[in-house]
Amino acid sequence: MTSSNVRVRMAPSPTGSPHVGLVRTALFNWAFARHHGGTFVFRIEDTDKERSTDESLASIIDLMRWLGLDWDEGPEVGGPHAPYFQSERSDLYADALARLKENSRTYDCYCTNEEAAARRKAAGSKVQGYDGFCRELSEEQVAAFVAEGRKPVVRFRMPDGSITWNDLVRGEVSFETEFVPDFALCRANGDSLYTLVNPVDDALMEITHVLRGEDLLSSTPRQIALYEALIEVGIAKVTPEFGHLPYVMGQGNKKLSKRDPEAHALAYREQGYLPEGLLNYLALLGWAIAADRDIFSLEEMVEAFEIGDVVANPARFDLKKCDAINAAHMRLLSLDDITHRVLPFLKKQGVVSDPVSDADAQLLELAMPLISERINKLAEAGDLLAFLFVDEDAFEVDAEDAEKQIGEAGIPVLQASYDALEGLPAWSTEAIQTALQTALVDGLGLKPRNAFGPVRVAVTGRRISPPLFESLELLGRERSLGRLRRALG
RNA sequence: GCCCCCAUCGUCUAGCGGCCCAGGACACCGCCCUUUCACGGCGGGUACGCCGGUUCGAAUCCGGUUGGGGGUGCCA
């Protein structure tokens, strides 16, 4: 599977519910790796012990499995660069830090943010952030700080000049290092920070291409500078290439945040989106497979995916289009497949027995053709099918629909229907249709719409249902007539 | 404030100098199909932010401007 030395990674922090932005980033990394026959590494960035949770970790793994984005190295599968949890790699970070220190690429800093900010202000500097005050401290100064009880953070010494790289999605990007202050690699308490750990892991894991969100764009010059130092001290071999993916925006003009309901990736599974539908939609946020084509499979995406084709401008998340793409994938499914996928939802909703009985399974197989093109998400099947599976004594007619569709005027219609169906020799869709047509349309002179509405509500309980005659056939004569009788009072 | 990124229909995008008085999809609006709801079919409106420049020719290249977004932590 891994026929090239392309190595990419996704490196989520297990803090909270996984975000669709994470899925999009994972997808592009995965597609890039698969397209190039490379390796997709999955690493967990759980350095923030306060916020990382096992629950979040489990949900991310679960999500990736559901999506079908498989990884070559990482949790559950291991790999040559294990462990893949940052919380288990502190020795590696300590070693990296020690080597950088030895090469004077870092220095101890005793300042508080307030002190640095005050100095910046006093100097009239337009630049924000740390001012490099502790870069060249004398022994006396250090002793004085220590005597005050201060504990230092370790900062990286940014080089002078400018840092430029050729971003895989944006082209040449350049920063003057005077605007990128010396940054902390390690807390005063000794904990390594993301700024150190992320590049060190990428280096150790020999990541060749870093594809990540645009929010990390401005931290790239720091990482490139760090990388150069890591190469010096023998930890990194090369600086990876970077590609910054555009934001996924929510309502208004802000990036999709955890507060937006559509941001939560797990919710899509619960609502019955297909993984291929969600992924297809997410792929469209910043990438197009062709000028006149929106629907494609993961395999087709892998085949066509080029990182250079990804656009740089942010994309607004449009749930309606996401639904439409999902619906298109639903229609691509075979009847067997969609039935198979709908079943867990029906069980969960209590529509069918769990484990499913033979009778329910048989009925479901007959009913699915009636609704397979009427649902856009798997979870919607239950609403349409419940009337077929419900026990007669639990069957309920929607009060509002009954009032609208039956009322006073509907009684004769139901009576006529009952009479027409009661003695029907054969209980088939065709016979039912003919009988009702004759009795209601021809007999009572009703428009089809008015004729069948009351029957639909009486028998299925709702104004919206699968096709009526087929529904009646599946329900059976006894239950159908029983429901008509009930509606007649 | 400073730094950086971005800029084509309402939305996602195609377009990488002439094929574009700009194509597709979603959404929207009509119509057809129709026993409800869908599916499907047909049709419609709507976009290159602005100003300069380069060029025989610009949505496409360059500069500026405006607008939007992000960053600016001992978070990731």
Side-chain angles (χ1 to χ4, degrees), chain A residues 301-322:
Chain A
M301 181 182 180
V302 166
E303 170 80 30
F305 187 78
E306 298 287 353
I307 187 66
D309 291 340
V310 174
V311 303
N313 49 307
R316 183 133 24 214
F317 189 94
D318 181 354
L319 195 56
K320 286 231 181 78
K321 180 145 183 176
C322 182

Side-chain angles (χ1 to χ4, degrees), chain A residues 158-159 161-165 173-177 220-222 224-225 228:
Chain A
M158 280 297 292
S162 66
I163 291 179
T164 302
W165 76 96
V173 180
S174 189
F175 284 78
E176 296 299 323
T177 56
T220 305
R222 301 193 309 212
I224 289 176
E228 282 162 7

Side-chain angles (χ1 to χ4, degrees), chain A residues 327-347:
Chain A
H329 279 274
M330 295 274 284
R331 274 163 232 133
L332 255 25
L333 261 27
S334 71
L335 216 43
D336 263 7
D337 195 354
I338 195 168
T339 304
H340 195 72
R341 299 206 210 193
V342 153
L343 192 55
F345 286 86
L346 296 179
K347 286 178 180 171

